[in-house]
Amino acid sequence: QCQLSGLWRNEQDSLMEISAVRSNGEFHGKYLTRVTLSGGCARLSPLKGSQQQPAEGEWPTFTFTVHWDKFSNATTAFVGQCFVDAGGKETLTTMWLLREAVGSLEEDWKATR
């Protein structure tokens, strides 16, 4: 069984801490990013998410959003799945979309990464 709750580190050395997953799949936590749009130092931001309750023998899928608190006018949505290898190591795989605020509809094309 793969457990989302706990401390996670990604390839860019950012940290994510997820609280206990509730019985309905909801969770919250904190994301400490080492990568910023402004190139500044690491910042702590809140995250909220939901885990799909897996069927027997399946690995859970999940989604969460991070509101980049106080240093960026952007929000990122992540979707992914949790896996456990033969040695018992848990790994989260994710895809993400970052939406940055822009000043006009004409600039909308460059707002999502």
Side-chain angles (χ1 to χ4, degrees):
Q1 180 94 26
C2 200
Q3 300 294 320
L4 288 181
S5 58
L7 187 63
W8 297 90
R9 180 184 309 275
N10 71 10
E11 295 89 2
Q12 285 77 38
D13 245 5
S14 295
L15 297 173
M16 175 175 70
E17 184 176 17
I18 296 177
S19 65
V21 178
R22 296 182 183 151
S23 60
N24 65 358
E26 293 179 1
F27 60 87
H28 64 277
K30 302 170 190 162
Y31 198 102
L32 178 66
T33 185
R34 301 275 184 210
V35 180
T36 65
L37 293 174
S38 63
C41 61
R43 302 290 181 128
L44 189 65
S45 297
L47 70 83
K48 293 182 183 179
S50 179
Q51 173 186 293
Q52 179 68 31
Q53 301 301 336
E56 185 69 31
E58 293 182 355
W59 306 119
T61 59
F62 58 88
T63 182
F64 63 90
T65 57
V66 178
H67 171 250
W68 303 111
D69 203 22
K70 300 177 184 161
F71 71 95
S72 175
N73 193 5
T75 301
T76 302
F78 294 81
V79 295
Q81 189 168 2
C82 188
F83 296 96
V84 180
D85 68 15
K89 180 182 176 186
E90 296 176 319
T91 300
L92 303 182
T93 61
T94 62
M95 297 283 293
W96 55 268
L97 285 173
L98 180 141
R99 177 63 188 215
E100 185 177 12
V102 292
S104 68
L105 184 57
E106 292 75 28
E107 296 177 294
D108 184 62
W109 66 271
K110 67 179 183 178
T112 301
R113 299 174 188 176

